[in-house]
Amino acid sequence: MSAPDDDPDAIPSQAELDELDLEELASTSAESDLAYPIRDQPIGPPPPALARDTWAFWWISAAAGIASAVYLLVNVVSVSDSLQRRLMDDIKKAIDEAARTNQKPLTMPADEYHGLAHFLPPAMVVTILVLLAVQFLLLRAVTAHHSRNARNIFLAMVLLNLVCIPTGMDLLRFADNAPAMFAVGWVQFGALLLSALCILRPSVGQWLPVNPRVGMGKLMRPGG
């Protein structure tokens, strides 16, 4: 392109404007290619760490979770009654402790004990089934649709589930009231944790698409 006129009031020609637009488009395209690199090779099938190991451990965890849900559903009355007794015992202990230390105790009407104790077990059943359904759909999206975002959400759901399992077992006192379900709960916990570790393997990360934010970070590093 010829040098523009030194006169600041000179109006550039249409050809000069078009050439400037082409240069800007070429520069933008080059930056986009660096930030969002395209693989030269086809995606290929998912690695065994995802297609086999992650799914195998997740199915073990799902089976244990379904077993826990069935147990709660079948024994919902006895579990609720046991939970109600525990809540009342805990409140009585809190009242006695408050009286011993001359503090004002927290009180709760008896019908609230009953309502909370009979609400939590069915809510746990629903939570177990919802988490399993969401995890299945996300894991399927990772495998079938090659989605890194789905993997990240799956890991978040796994973390939430890992928090819920020991909390629920402790709340319902499975260790004392249902030792078999206590073991099933820890099987679910361990299998789900192994499933998350498998999907975090390097082979899975290399198979999934590059995160655009990682590409931008590389560009911002010196010499990147």
Side-chain angles (χ1 to χ4, degrees):
M1 183 180 65
S2 58
D5 194 350
D6 293 335
D7 185 0
D9 297 328
I11 299 176
S13 65
Q14 185 63 41
E16 292 173 337
L17 292 175
D18 292 341
E19 190 170 353
L20 288 173
D21 290 340
L22 290 174
E23 290 177 357
E24 184 176 356
L25 286 173
S27 175
T28 302
S29 177
E31 292 177 359
S32 178
D33 291 341
L34 288 172
Y36 304 93
I38 300 175
R39 294 188 176 191
D40 297 330
Q41 301 295 330
I43 295 174
L50 173 60
R52 182 191 62 200
D53 300 341
T54 300
W55 274 105
F57 285 121
W58 184 84
W59 278 116
I60 295 173
S61 175
I66 292 173
S68 298
V70 170
Y71 172 83
L72 290 175
L73 195 59
V74 171
N75 300 278
V76 64
V77 175
S78 60
V79 170
S80 298
D81 291 342
S82 175
L83 179 59
Q84 182 175 352
R85 288 193 298 270
R86 177 181 181 180
L87 290 175
M88 295 182 68
D89 290 342
D90 290 344
I91 293 297
K92 287 179 181 178
K93 290 178 181 178
I95 292 175
D96 293 341
E97 180 66 19
R100 188 178 63 83
T101 57
N102 296 323
Q103 294 180 356
K104 184 179 180 180
L106 296 175
T107 59
M108 181 184 296
D111 58 342
E112 292 191 22
Y113 290 113
H114 180 82
L116 182 61
H118 287 76
F119 166 78
L120 285 177
M124 290 180 180
V125 173
V126 174
T127 301
I128 292 171
L129 297 179
V130 168
L131 284 175
L132 288 177
V134 172
Q135 289 168 10
F136 173 80
L137 294 175
L138 290 170
L139 196 52
R140 188 170 181 271
V142 176
T143 307
H145 303 294
H146 192 236
S147 173
R148 182 178 292 269
N149 288 334
R151 184 187 73 163
N152 294 339
I153 301 174
F154 171 78
L155 290 171
M157 292 297 101
V158 166
L159 180 61
L160 176 61
N161 206 346
L162 291 177
V163 172
C164 291
I165 292 171
T167 302
M169 291 193 301
D170 178 69
L171 181 64
L172 300 179
R173 287 184 174 174
F174 272 2
D176 299 326
N177 300 332
M181 298 313 302
F182 182 76
V184 169
W186 282 115
V187 168
Q188 181 187 5
F189 185 95
L192 192 58
L193 179 59
L194 290 173
S195 177
L197 293 177
C198 287
I199 206 173
L200 285 172
R201 286 181 183 174
S203 60
V204 179
Q206 293 168 4
W207 179 77
L208 291 172
V210 176
N211 192 331
R213 287 174 295 180
V214 173
M216 291 299 293
K218 290 180 179 179
L219 289 175
M220 295 175 65
R221 290 200 298 266

